[in-house]
Amino acid sequence: MTTQIISNALPANQRSDFEQSLMQFPRRCVRLHANRDKSDLPFEASRTDWFDRGFLLANSEIRPSQFLQYATGDYYIQDAGSLLAVALADVQPHERVCDLCAAPGGKASAMLEQLGNGPQSGGFLVANEPIGSRIEILRHQLNRTGNPRFAVTNADPQRLAERFPNAFDVVLVDAPCSGQALTIKNKRSDDAFSPKQIEHSAARQQRILRAALSLLRVGGRLVYSTCTFADLENESQIDWLLDTFPESLAAMPDQNLASWLSPLQPSSYRLWPHRDRCAGAFAARLLKVSETEPKSFSDAKTGSGNRAWLAKRRTDANREKIAEPLDVENFGQLSSTLLHRSEQAIAMVSDDVSLAAWLEAEKLSVNELPIAWELKQQRAIPTQLLAHLDRRYFQPASTVELTDEEARRVIGGAALAIDQRTAVSSGYTLACWHGRGIGWLKHAGNRWNNQLPAIARLR
């Protein structure tokens, strides 16, 4: 592996160890759900130093996705380094948060859990992903949290900034980058270390950061992160922001993360694969202290590669097909099977009046919100979100508690034979394991047909 670009933040006497670490797969890590306890982990693991719900597996030969606890959303699989940005974001339950480049959803789902899952928590997450093909995995990971206080958008960052100026308490930019840390996992080639690739990524990052600044309210926090080691994409971007908007932004260090402070910038933090048992990461935090009028987005050098990236956005014709609000009669029939409360909303947001008013004012449409039902072949069926939804929002009228063997069959996509554990003779039943929802089963004669979407099945 050729590493022509090495950060000045890396001590010279550690370069050899760093380069050797790039040839080794990092320790596997999971993020424990905010409502779960370490005892819910089915394997031995130790807590990460920078995020208290991050756990490094003692045996990295173990595949965390093969356990039933993963199917019930007890934990999320992600590199320990990606949790650095979540720690810096320090999301509070009442805050409105935007993850501007959110897929595949590790950081977004972590922040959604931090918002709290009670109907009156007050917080809300907008998870934006410019690339349409990545929306499905993002929505799936957010659904697994059981918290419906989010919206998924598929927009260019500039367009989103025009729609939501000064709207958010926290904006996270997990920026598209050269991805040098991903070379460990063979997800990037050695070209990630080329000056051309680094300069191209840095120009694109500046454009996104301008949008992020517009989205952020005065007094809000901007968190910037990458999975690369190049200074130009990391500390230099923070210096650029502070130099370009000196009256609007201020450094916002975190004393809890002082052990990982970058020597190049006072509000920037580094994790290194040879030192911190992860793939490596960069994250920084700034405070917006006053309003600004950012320069035109066209001022940033975007390049043809960036235009191609933006062109991958979904068109309206390719948007996910979501059911129109059901008429009262059909909704009543379905809810009598699934819900104790027949007045349950189609859009699973909350009963928070102020939040509903904010959404209405911002013109967020139903097809961008978590929903309870969708149409397939003209039939309304419950969504996977509803299977994981916190019981303070939703109580299913019919459930079946599965054995370990049955649960493994369900997450593998198999149907189950009908027995007498539930009185439901038609409609949908929520399949549970240890009281936690896995997915929906549809009564069909002498069996329950498996409704678990392909993306949620064991692979």
Side-chain angles (χ1 to χ4, degrees):
M1 178 177 293
T2 303
T3 57
Q4 302 101 317
I5 303 297
I6 294 296
S7 169
N8 290 320
L10 179 67
N13 62 0
Q14 295 183 27
R15 176 165 178 166
S16 176
D17 290 341
F18 165 75
E19 291 189 335
Q20 289 180 23
S21 72
L22 294 182
M23 307 301 293
Q24 302 169 5
F25 200 89
R27 289 272 295 277
R28 291 190 189 274
C29 178
V30 298
R31 188 195 77 240
L32 186 66
H33 192 288
N35 293 340
R36 309 293 197 266
D37 186 82
K38 185 184 177 183
S39 62
D40 292 314
L41 293 178
F43 36 71
E44 184 180 352
S46 58
R47 200 181 306 269
T48 60
D49 294 329
W50 49 89
F51 190 72
D52 62 2
R53 288 189 289 114
F55 288 87
L56 294 164
L57 274 66
N59 180 1
S60 281
E61 297 299 317
I62 290 175
R63 295 180 61 190
S65 63
Q66 304 299 299
F67 292 86
L68 292 174
Q69 288 87 345
Y70 180 71
T72 58
D74 287 4
Y75 54 83
Y76 181 94
I77 303 168
Q78 65 189 119
D79 184 74
S82 70
L83 297 171
L84 179 65
V86 180
L88 267 183
D90 192 25
V91 170
Q92 302 302 306
H94 65 279
E95 291 184 314
R96 289 169 181 167
V97 181
C98 178
D99 189 341
L100 199 49
C101 309
K107 298 177 182 67
S109 59
M111 294 190 296
L112 181 58
E113 290 176 3
Q114 290 176 319
L115 289 176
N117 55 9
Q120 302 302 322
S121 67
F124 194 78
L125 169 75
V126 172
N128 181 69
E129 173 51 47
I131 301 175
S133 61
R134 306 182 77 192
I135 292 294
E136 182 183 14
I137 183 62
L138 172 60
R139 187 184 295 278
H140 171 64
Q141 298 300 355
L142 295 173
N143 285 346
R144 280 166 42 84
T145 68
N147 188 348
R149 306 183 68 85
F150 70 89
V152 173
T153 55
N154 173 219
D156 170 71
Q158 178 184 351
R159 179 168 173 262
L160 201 69
E162 293 167 351
R163 187 174 181 181
F164 297 100
N166 310 307
F168 296 97
D169 302 291
V170 180
V171 176
L172 169 64
V173 176
D174 185 37
C177 65
S178 56
Q180 294 170 358
L182 299 179
T183 58
I184 302 173
K185 301 179 180 180
N186 296 318
K187 293 183 179 180
R188 287 286 191 280
S189 69
D190 287 1
D191 289 343
F193 291 89
S194 72
K196 182 179 179 180
Q197 179 62 46
I198 292 168
E199 291 168 5
H200 166 79
S201 296
R204 178 169 60 186
Q205 290 153 6
Q206 289 186 4
R207 181 185 187 278
I208 298 171
L209 284 168
R210 290 180 185 272
L213 185 55
S214 294
L215 287 160
L216 195 64
R217 69 166 181 82
V218 173
R221 308 183 297 284
L222 173 63
V223 177
Y224 173 74
S225 65
T226 72
C227 56
T228 195
F229 306 112
D231 295 350
L232 187 62
E233 298 181 71
N234 293 328
E235 290 90 351
S236 293
Q237 296 288 359
I238 303 306
D239 290 339
W240 169 80
L241 277 171
L242 292 170
D243 290 345
T244 306
F245 308 103
E247 303 300 323
S248 300
L249 292 171
M252 192 179 183
D254 187 330
Q255 293 304 314
N256 294 324
L257 298 174
S259 297
W260 302 278
L261 183 66
S262 168
L264 306 181
Q265 212 284 326
S267 58
S268 298
Y269 301 85
R270 291 266 193 170
L271 296 174
W272 297 99
H274 66 287
R275 184 189 70 185
D276 299 306
R277 300 186 298 176
C278 65
F282 171 87
R285 184 174 67 181
L286 297 175
L287 177 69
K288 186 173 181 179
V289 295
S290 67
E291 194 48 78
T292 183
E293 291 294 333
K295 296 179 181 180
S296 167
F297 286 91
S298 63
D299 290 349
K301 297 179 180 179
T302 57
S304 59
N306 189 41
R307 289 192 294 272
W309 174 70
L310 296 172
K312 293 181 180 179
R313 290 170 42 213
R314 292 186 303 174
T315 64
D316 289 341
N318 291 328
R319 298 186 73 85
E320 183 180 0
K321 298 300 187 295
I322 300 298
E324 294 296 325
L326 302 178
D327 62 61
V328 175
E329 181 180 0
N330 287 340
F331 178 57
Q333 291 173 356
L334 192 57
S335 64
S336 66
T337 300
L338 288 165
L339 304 169
H340 290 314
R341 296 195 305 155
S342 62
E343 70 272 17
Q344 184 76 33
I346 297 294
M348 302 300 298
V349 184
S350 79
D351 297 324
D352 188 326
V353 175
S354 62
L355 175 62
W358 182 72
L359 291 172
E360 182 178 358
E362 299 296 343
K363 296 182 174 58
L364 271 175
S365 60
V366 170
N367 72 335
E368 293 170 324
L369 294 172
I371 59 167
W373 327 104
E374 61 183 346
L375 287 181
K376 286 188 177 180
Q377 298 178 345
Q378 302 304 310
R379 290 186 175 183
I381 66 170
T383 64
Q384 186 63 14
L385 169 67
L386 207 57
H388 291 288
L389 200 64
D390 188 277
R391 297 300 170 84
R392 282 175 284 187
Y393 289 96
F394 163 69
Q395 287 290 335
S398 175
T399 64
V400 58
E401 182 67 23
L402 304 180
T403 65
D404 290 2
E405 180 183 354
E406 288 172 332
R408 291 190 180 94
R409 290 182 61 198
V410 168
I411 64 175
L416 294 181
I418 290 286
D419 61 24
Q420 301 304 312
R421 280 174 290 174
T422 174
V424 172
S425 59
S426 64
Y428 294 91
T429 291
L430 180 60
C432 298
W433 183 74
H434 288 200
R436 295 169 185 163
I438 292 178
W440 294 101
L441 303 174
K442 177 73 164 57
H443 189 285
N446 62 351
R447 70 177 188 277
W448 281 313
N449 283 341
N450 194 330
Q451 303 295 301
L452 197 68
I455 196 171
R457 295 179 182 180
L458 183 64
R459 293 180 294 277

